Amino acid sequence: MKEFFELLKKGKFKAIFLDPTDNGFLQFFRYLFVGGIATVVDVLFSFICKYALVQLTDIQEQIVYIISTTVGFTGGLTTNFLLSRAFVFGTKEARAKTKVGEFMGHFIVGAIGLGLSHLIIWSGTTYIFNSYEIFRLVAIVIVFIWNYLARKFFVYKK
């Protein structure tokens, strides 16, 4: 954290955002931005899909939630993979030998996160109160933490 504040104090934004780093705090800080961008893509895709499906079909609400969350997940996962690789963990830190292997690791972590999202949204809207938007946002926070930690320790080198 000390390195981050020193760089910030000196105005070295390139080092904060772009230069390769093993500093865990800098990586987490960058992942906040990457995750934020991926989350915006995810939420936009899922909300647009949800409202389109509700307006254009008579599919059961719970199925609409699953479809829209999956659509959002796909857009967010792709965005997160590309930006994490470029700005957070670096291409040399991947445990996998190929880009496909690296993406598969990224995908597996994300798929578990998707499962957590579905579980949170389904259980929240079924047993607590029916508000997709609120439980979608709760899921985003929980899954964000899971995604960062799992990718840092399982997909990329420590």
Side-chain angles (χ1 to χ4, degrees), residues 22 93 95 152-153 156-158:
D22 290 332
E93 291 187 32
R95 292 181 188 268
K152 179 165 181 65
F153 294 111
Y156 297 96
K157 294 178 184 170
K158 191 173 176 185

Side-chain angles (χ1 to χ4, degrees), residues 9-50:
K9 191 167 127 179
K10 294 177 183 176
K12 296 191 175 193
F13 298 107
K14 182 178 179 277
I16 292 172
F17 289 100
L18 301 174
D19 291 346
T21 184
D22 290 332
N23 182 300
F25 185 81
L26 276 176
Q27 286 180 332
F28 183 77
F29 180 76
R30 291 176 184 182
Y31 196 80
L32 282 171
F33 281 93
V34 166
I37 293 167
T39 299
V40 168
V41 170
D42 183 330
V43 169
L44 284 174
F45 280 29
S46 63
F47 284 5
I48 290 168
C49 182
K50 183 238 181 191

Side-chain angles (χ1 to χ4, degrees), residues 96-113:
K97 303 281 187 231
T98 65
K99 289 179 188 176
V100 172
E102 181 183 354
F103 182 79
M104 289 309 297
H106 209 84
F107 174 79
I108 290 167
V109 168
I112 293 169

Side-chain angles (χ1 to χ4, degrees), residues 112-123:
I112 293 169
L114 176 63
L116 288 170
S117 275
H118 285 316
L119 181 63
I120 292 164
I121 293 165
W122 174 78
S123 60

